[in-house]
Amino acid sequence: MKVCSTAPGKVILFGEHFVVKGAPAIAGALSLRAKVCIEDRVGGIEVVSMDRGWRMEFGRNELPQLRQFKRIVEYAVEEGYLSGVKSFRACIWSRIPVGAGLGSSAATAVAFTASLLEFHGVSYGASDVWRVSLEGEREVHVNPSGIDNATATYGGLVLYRKGVVRRLKARLPKEALLLIVDTGVERSTGRAVKHVLEMYERHEGVFKHIYRAASSLVSEALKAIRGRDLVKLGELMQLNQGLLRTIGVSNSSIENIVYSAVKLGALGAKITGAGMGGSVIVLTTKGGFSAILEGLKPFAKGFIPAKIDSRGYTVLFSRNN
Ligand code: MEV
């Protein structure tokens, strides 16, 4: 038996961090995907990262990278999805950069979960894939809101709040171009989230107002997307970046990129994901794209033109050999 599934990375357009404490956020699936194939094996469970070059067996040479996958299998058993676990080998490939705020661990967890459930012949739906994969994400990040896994599961543009996922019918206007700019600074989402939650505790009286502003910003962003108002969308991105700076997840590399992008004609730019490094997302149109890309070269490690992909997880094939 062999099963292969894929799932997309994500960009958060509005509301990262605030979403952890129940504010709404908007994210989009990327065309960069992770793929996990699960096949029969004799003598236990093995997970192989084809890109990173590690190979580990459950109960033998376990390193932290394995925790996410182990927890998904355990949780699938605890919750009654699997009555028994077969021996298998899971091979992982990913085109999503790690530590760049683009949802690489969530995409891998979602593709792994879909392949695992399919491999065991379980009947399941998207909400099961989201729920089970999120348990794996909890091993990697502190307090994940679930938005990364929701976007990797459902695809397209997603409005997310407190575990409720709404796939938006509206799309970004055709002329909108999103450019992901890699700051080149790898960072941990867990650490960034912990820092913000600690700041919240220390300054709750002030922070609750910032979180309220972040919620209004998402309502306004929804109106701008539905009204195809790119200028307003860009301005809201700038406001969102201001709030992210205020809660302490920006730094000089990010600020340089955001400031330069706008100076070069971008409609807006902001952190996407946890910040403190990772990636910045820039909103522009075809006319401004090349000048922005050229002008940002001195500040960036790399660029990815981002297209919102309507596909969530996909089981590529499932076959008995
Ligand atoms: C990470 O992609 C987004 C954060 O809001 C954390 C989360 O929602 O779990 C920073």
Side-chain angles (χ1 to χ4, degrees):
M1 175 81 176
K2 182 169 181 178
V3 178
C4 290
S5 309
T6 69
K10 63 90 195 29
V11 274
I12 298 191
L13 298 176
F14 294 96
E16 51 273 271
H17 284 292
F18 306 106
V19 69
V20 173
K21 281 190 90 69
I26 303 172
L30 287 173
S31 42
L32 299 174
R33 300 178 78 84
K35 175 171 151 189
V36 177
C37 291
I38 291 189
E39 61 189 356
D40 286 313
R41 175 179 189 261
V42 178
I45 299 173
E46 183 180 59
V47 181
V48 186
S49 168
M50 306 301 280
D51 311 303
R52 304 219 128 199
W54 55 257
R55 173 184 294 267
M56 288 173 215
E57 264 186 69
F58 281 27
R60 277 209 189 153
N61 55 342
E62 295 187 1
L63 287 172
Q65 295 95 307
L66 199 67
R67 284 210 319 257
Q68 181 187 27
F69 305 104
K70 218 176 161 183
R71 183 64 196 132
I72 288 171
V73 175
E74 279 167 11
Y75 187 71
V77 172
E78 281 163 27
E79 291 294 299
Y81 289 100
L82 310 183
S83 49
V85 183
K86 299 198 271 180
S87 284
F88 65 82
R89 171 180 301 110
C91 294
I92 304 162
W93 294 259
S94 179
R95 294 192 48 226
I96 309 161
V98 175
L102 302 178
S104 93
S105 69
T108 307
V110 165
F112 178 83
T113 303
S115 284
L116 179 76
L117 298 180
E118 190 80 25
F119 180 74
H120 284 86
V122 170
S123 121
Y124 66 96
S127 60
D128 303 306
V129 172
W130 171 68
R131 218 162 70 84
V132 176
S133 68
L134 182 55
E135 204 56 31
E137 192 75 348
R138 289 189 215 283
E139 290 291 315
V140 184
H141 302 316
V142 194
N143 264 320
S145 65
I147 190 170
D148 290 10
N149 294 60
T151 313
T153 301
Y154 292 94
L157 271 187
V158 164
L159 172 67
Y160 182 88
R161 183 176 198 178
K162 288 187 183 163
V164 180
V165 188
R166 228 172 82 205
R167 221 169 162 276
L168 297 178
K169 285 204 188 81
R171 294 177 178 209
L172 290 181
K174 266 212 170 68
E175 61 278 23
L177 288 181
L178 291 170
L179 179 66
I180 297 168
V181 185
D182 183 358
T183 60
V185 182
E186 255 196 55
R187 84 294 169 271
S188 134
T189 298
R191 251 208 311 274
V193 169
K194 188 163 173 274
H195 171 76
V196 172
L197 293 177
E198 282 168 5
M199 287 285 280
Y200 191 103
E201 289 304 312
R202 284 215 295 281
H203 305 283
E204 189 170 349
V206 177
F207 263 55
K208 63 182 188 216
H209 297 290
I210 304 172
Y211 277 59
R212 210 169 294 141
S215 295
S216 325
L217 221 144
V218 168
S219 316
E220 290 301 312
L222 277 177
K223 286 187 210 157
I225 292 170
R226 290 183 178 130
R228 312 178 70 74
D229 188 342
L230 275 190
V231 172
K232 180 168 172 180
L233 210 56
E235 286 169 359
L236 291 168
M237 282 170 78
Q238 292 300 109
L239 289 176
N240 197 156
Q241 173 61 21
L243 298 185
L244 289 167
R245 185 190 312 121
T246 307
I247 64 171
V249 292
S250 196
N251 62 20
S252 57
S253 317
I254 294 169
E255 291 304 320
N256 274 339
I257 293 171
V258 169
Y259 183 79
S260 308
V262 173
K263 208 167 153 208
L264 289 159
L267 293 159
K270 64 176 273 295
I271 287 167
T272 185
M276 291 183 159
S279 302
V280 169
I281 186 149
V282 176
L283 176 66
T284 179
T285 55
K286 214 169 165 191
F289 191 82
S290 319
I292 292 171
L293 195 116
E294 274 308 308
L296 288 182
K297 275 186 181 162
F299 308 106
K301 186 179 167 217
F303 299 95
I304 306 170
K307 270 215 157 8
I308 305 298
D309 194 328
S310 61
R311 291 171 308 153
Y313 79 88
T314 316
V315 177
L316 290 179
F317 66 84
S318 171
R319 120 183 136 216
N320 282 308
N321 33 335

